[in-house]
Structures are given as C-alpha cells and as structure tokens.
Amino acid sequence: MLLAVDIGNTSTVCGVFEEKGNITALFTFKTEIPVSSEEILIKLKNFLELYKIKLKDIKGLSIACVVPSALNYWVEMGKKWLAREVLVADHTTVDIPMDLLYPSEVGADRLINALAGWEKYKTSLIIVDFGTAITFDCISEKGVYLGGAIAPGLFISAEALFKKTAKLPKIDLSEIPLQTIGKDTISALKTGLLYGFTGLTDYLIDKLSKEMGSSPKVIATGGMAKFIVPLSKKIEKIDPYLTLEGLYYLWKQKKP
C-alpha cells in the first residue's frame, strides 16, 4: 500500500492506495508544525487503525507539501518508522513538460495536479484547486504545464472579513443565497463571497481559455470547491481526489 500525503497550509489530506490505484482510506486533519516525527507517527497510526490498516502494510510514502517547516518531520517519520522509500514531489521529481520561467517556484500541489490531470484526461485542461488559495493550472493539448493564476481563497477571505470588521458575523457558506440582493447582513455576506468568488473563477477561466487558444476541459478540486462549483458556468465537474491520485501516479512512475 502507498500512503499519499498532501500537506496544505490549512489541512493535511491523506489517502491510502492499493497497488491498482484504489483508495482504501481517506482522512484529513489540521496542518500543524509537529515537535517530532514520532508525533506524526502516533497521529497517523490512530487514523489507520480506523480502517484496520497496520503500519507495516504501508510500503511507500508520496508527499506534496507547501509548508516547508513540516516537510522534514514527515520525511523523517517515513524513513525512520514507516517506509523504506519516501518520495517528495517538486519540480525535479514530477516528470511533466513545463513552459515556465522559474519551475522551482511552483508549489508541489500544483505540479501534482497537472500530472494527475494529464494522466487522467489526456486533453487540454484547466484545473481549479479551491484550497487556502485558489489556483488555476493550465495544461496544453500536448500535456505541457503552462502555468496559471493564484487568487486568495474563499476561507481566508472570509476570515479576513471577520477579523477586521467588528460587527460582521461568521456565516455558513453551504447555503446558497436565494437572491443576489442581500436583505440582511448574513445574506449580503453570502452573496458577496459565493457569487463574488464564482465571478472571479469564471472570469479567470474565460481569460485563461482564450489565451490557451483552445477549449480546455475545466475541472475543480480542493475542499472549498463544493461551495463554488454549483454556481459556476465554466467548471464541468469536481474531481475531489485529484492531488492524492497525482501522488499515486508519481509513485508509480518513480517506484524503486
């Protein structure tokens, strides 16, 4: 079994894959800087026990991380306690053609999404990842990663509003406003956040598509996608496990 780990700024998402690529376990926890590799091991062991998976069943560890201060602890845990081989995704390990000025600057999650998107769909593609930030990644019809765009995420924008404005309450974004004109503060906040970010998303997709000179397939992933995709006119589907699947594809390519 392979343990795929996507360490984001807000959450860490883990998936356990069987040899043929089926996900047998999936769990998420808050990203924190651990004090030791043993701390990660204990947390991981507790989650795996829920699925009746033993640590010895994990034969490999594939990681995408955008939090450098957490990465070393995960690598140490993998090599010391879990697996013989630990694979870390970056511009040197992800084998996809890139048309970029500075490949080393691109986040591992974006590279992995591009790899997974091409492996799964084999067509020109825009991947919108709704995480702490919203990233837009463009892949050409020949499988070249072209770059994309980055915007503030829905959650951190909402949090900024709540922290900087004393009278604005926290709200439940799972309920779509029935009308655009908010008649109270909560409905006005929902309109601004949900429809505002939908507008941002669809406008950027339209601009990126025109610059690509094609009609790319548009898919979404990330934990916040469920709030925006139902309102979007441009996104075709949600692919919730895309990043984890990319880590699986990477492992298959690099497997010792």
Side-chain angles (χ1 to χ4, degrees):
M1 290 181 170
L2 169 71
L3 175 64
V5 182
D6 175 23
I7 307 170
N9 288 293
T10 303
S11 301
T12 296
V13 184
C14 300
V16 178
F17 288 82
E18 294 179 336
E19 180 68 24
K20 294 183 179 181
N22 299 319
I23 298 180
T24 60
L26 182 70
F27 48 91
T28 304
F29 48 87
K30 184 179 179 181
T31 297
E32 296 176 330
I33 308 304
V35 298
S36 67
S37 60
E38 288 79 8
E39 180 183 343
I40 299 174
L41 180 70
I42 295 301
K43 181 180 293 187
L44 186 61
K45 185 174 183 293
N46 289 335
F47 277 106
L48 291 175
E49 285 179 350
L50 295 175
Y51 293 90
K52 302 186 184 316
I53 298 173
K54 298 179 180 179
L55 288 173
K56 66 179 182 178
D57 296 330
I58 304 299
K59 305 302 181 184
L61 178 60
S62 186
I63 303 173
C65 180
V66 296
V67 186
S69 54
L71 180 59
N72 288 338
Y73 290 104
W74 275 92
V75 172
E76 179 183 332
M77 183 277 298
K79 290 182 175 180
K80 184 176 180 181
W81 298 105
L82 191 63
R84 294 180 181 178
E85 298 292 337
V86 177
L87 180 59
V88 178
D90 60 27
H91 70 287
T92 65
T93 58
V94 179
D95 289 335
I96 55 172
M98 303 180 199
D99 183 9
L100 303 171
L101 293 176
Y102 309 107
S104 63
E105 293 181 356
V106 181
D109 54 339
R110 297 180 66 193
L111 294 175
I112 285 294
N113 282 348
L115 173 66
W118 177 252
E119 289 292 329
K120 291 188 72 172
Y121 299 101
K122 299 294 184 182
T123 187
S124 61
L125 197 65
I126 295 176
I127 301 167
V128 189
D129 190 341
F130 292 93
T132 305
I134 304 174
T135 59
F136 300 76
D137 294 301
C138 305
I139 298 93
S140 76
E141 64 277 3
K142 294 182 179 180
V144 179
Y145 177 47
L146 303 173
I150 304 173
L154 180 61
F155 178 76
I156 60 173
S157 296
E159 283 294 305
L161 271 177
F162 306 143
K163 289 180 179 179
K164 297 295 183 180
T165 50
K167 297 183 103 177
L168 293 183
K170 290 193 175 184
I171 57 173
D172 177 11
L173 293 176
S174 63
E175 297 180 357
I176 297 175
L178 298 178
Q179 61 185 45
T180 308
I181 300 175
K183 298 297 185 180
D184 56 75
T185 300
I186 290 178
S187 60
L189 278 169
K190 288 182 179 180
T191 292
L193 288 167
L194 292 175
Y195 288 118
F197 273 90
T198 301
L200 178 153
T201 298
D202 284 359
Y203 181 79
L204 270 175
I205 290 171
D206 187 55
K207 294 286 286 184
L208 292 168
S209 298
K210 289 178 180 177
E211 197 164 313
M212 290 172 71
S214 62
S215 298
K217 185 179 184 67
V218 183
I219 63 172
T221 193
M224 306 298 284
K226 60 187 177 183
F227 299 120
I228 300 299
V229 172
L231 300 173
S232 173
K233 296 180 180 180
K234 300 290 184 178
I235 297 174
E236 300 175 34
K237 62 175 290 188
I238 297 177
D239 197 335
Y241 309 132
L242 188 70
T243 309
L244 294 178
E245 289 172 335
L247 289 167
Y248 169 78
Y249 291 131
L250 181 65
W251 180 261
K252 293 292 286 186
Q253 289 178 356
K254 302 288 185 178
K255 184 178 177 181

